[in-house]
Amino acid sequence: MAEEARELAAGTLDPECADTAELYPESLLRATDEALQAFETDLGALAEPSDDQAFDTSEHVVLRLNAIDDGSHPGGAGYDTGEREQLCEYIDETLTEHGVDVAALAARRGIGRAEITHEWREW
């Protein structure tokens, strides 16, 4: 969004082509950033997350993201397919960065790695 604003101000971007703010309103971006930051903080507070802790922390961030993707943002903005995939990847990568073997965790739960968030995800 910041890059688009700079290009608009510089006159290098046609205003009719500027759609980032419309697709991703500040309220959606801010709320999403806050939810993801809380997820990282919650995981960081765990020395070596157990399976239950990893799942509980993942559930909390997914439920936060569900609440954000409620259609209340300007223009009814929410998460599209690309953003949904990015959020799932982010959750997976963040778990991994905090010492969770996501593939093994999923296997112990009898699910595929990509299904870690499916139980709670509405977006």
Side-chain angles (χ1 to χ4, degrees), residues 7-29:
E7 290 176 5
L8 284 169
T12 58
L13 179 64
D14 183 337
E16 290 184 18
C17 297
D19 62 356
T20 300
E22 198 173 294
L23 292 174
Y24 308 107
E26 185 66 29
S27 61
L28 177 70
L29 296 175

Side-chain angles (χ1 to χ4, degrees), residues 47-92:
E48 291 184 27
S50 68
D51 285 3
D52 287 340
Q53 289 172 320
F55 260 91
D56 288 347
T57 307
S58 298
E59 177 183 9
H60 290 143
V61 72
V62 170
L63 295 177
R64 286 179 189 134
L65 294 169
N66 286 347
I68 294 165
D69 189 43
D70 66 356
S72 67
H73 302 280
Y79 307 128
D80 290 326
T81 303
E83 289 83 31
R84 292 179 191 123
E85 291 173 4
Q86 289 174 345
L87 288 168
C88 290
E89 287 175 20
Y90 180 87
I91 291 168
D92 184 299

Side-chain angles (χ1 to χ4, degrees), residues 39-53:
F39 176 56
E40 288 183 29
T41 299
D42 292 347
L43 278 174
L46 304 171
E48 291 184 27
S50 68
D51 285 3
D52 287 340
Q53 289 172 320

